[in-house]
Structures are given as C-alpha cells and as structure tokens.
Amino acid sequence: HTVVDYGCGPGLFTFPAAQIAGPDGTGYAVDIEPRMVTLIERKVGERGAGNVTAALNDGQGAPLPPDTADFLVLGQVLHYPEETEGRVAMAREVAKLLRPDGRALVIEWTPEDEGSSRMGPGDVESVVGEAELRVGPPQPLGPQQYMMIATHRPSTAG
C-alpha cells in the first residue's frame, strides 16, 4: 500500500502509517514548510525508514502523481486555509492523490466557539464533498479532536 501524510509537520502520523504500509509499501510525507521536509528527511535516516520519502508542497500541490495513495492522512491541516475556497482546493488535492476508493483520515480540532477557525464535522463534510469525497460519521478523539474517514468517489460523468 501507499500512504501519504499530507501536511506532515514533524511526522506524527508519517512513521506509524509507513510502518502499517510495511516494508514493501511506500510512505510519503508532504509539507509546505521546507523545515518540516528537512526534519522528516533527517528522521528517515535516523530511523532507517527506507520506505518513507519527504516531499515539498510548493504551494501548487504535492509533487506526486494522481492516484498515488491508497490511504492519506490529513491530520489537523484542513482548517489552515482561512477561506472556504482554500480548504476546498486542499480537499481537491487530496482527492487527486487518492486512488479510486482510496480513503483519507481527516482529523480536526473540535470547534471551541462560533468565531473559531476550527471546522466542525458539518464543515468538513461540506468542504470534502466539493472534492468528490464522501465522509463517514465523526468519531471523537478525546475532548478536543475528532476524526472522519473520507472515501474517494470520482465522478463518472464524462
């Protein structure tokens, strides 16, 4: 299997996901911050994680071909673009990277109040729905986070 940690930061999900993919699987750690990519590259060497490759998102998207991932982790990053259009663009990038019937783990912070930039489950469902992703029900991850599994459902219109 191929897994992508999109918005990997320091690799919280990268290395466990690559372990699950196994020695014959592939893991990609993608981030827009060059320092995080350098950090992942260093950790790959330290851990001997030869199945992990770090990649820099240049702001135009991940440097990976379409239909790369069987599974993708989008951990606490979908809320970063302040505008809905930016969030939908990120979700479309995720959908592009996922193979048909691929799945994405979406983890977000539970909104604190009305003015929060955090996204509630309904917001996530709306945003990823614009990108041909279908989400399951939210599951709590403690008192401050929740997760949803999104499945790629490419359009059959042609």
Side-chain angles (χ1 to χ4, degrees):
H1 292 293
T2 300
V3 295
V4 174
D5 186 359
Y6 191 92
C8 65
L12 178 65
F13 302 111
T14 300
F15 295 98
Q19 249 184 335
I20 292 168
D24 295 329
T26 304
Y28 291 100
V30 177
D31 206 283
I32 199 163
E33 174 57 54
R35 291 178 300 172
M36 292 297 113
V37 173
T38 300
L39 176 63
I40 294 295
E41 290 171 340
R42 189 185 83 229
K43 287 183 176 183
V44 164
E46 291 171 355
R47 297 177 184 200
N51 67 334
V52 174
T53 300
L56 181 66
N57 178 338
D58 63 3
Q60 303 300 309
L64 303 173
D67 301 330
T68 294
D70 297 296
F71 196 77
L72 187 142
V73 179
L74 194 62
Q76 302 164 334
V77 295
L78 189 58
H79 68 275
Y80 273 117
E82 292 184 23
E83 302 297 324
T84 300
E85 296 79 22
R87 293 171 176 181
V88 170
M90 184 183 294
R92 286 189 174 129
E93 174 76 4
V94 166
K96 180 183 92 171
L97 293 172
L98 282 173
R99 293 182 177 137
D101 295 321
R103 293 177 296 152
L105 170 64
V106 180
I107 300 172
E108 278 298 326
W109 295 101
T110 303
E112 296 173 321
D113 54 45
E114 273 307 303
S116 174
S117 66
R118 296 179 178 185
M119 299 173 66
D123 299 321
V124 170
E125 183 174 12
S126 176
V127 164
V128 301
E130 292 286 324
E132 298 184 334
L133 296 168
R134 175 183 66 246
V135 294
Q139 302 294 319
L141 291 174
Q144 296 184 1
Q145 299 171 351
Y146 64 93
M147 63 171 246
M148 300 173 86
I149 300 292
T151 305
H152 190 208
R153 54 163 211 234
S155 173
T156 57

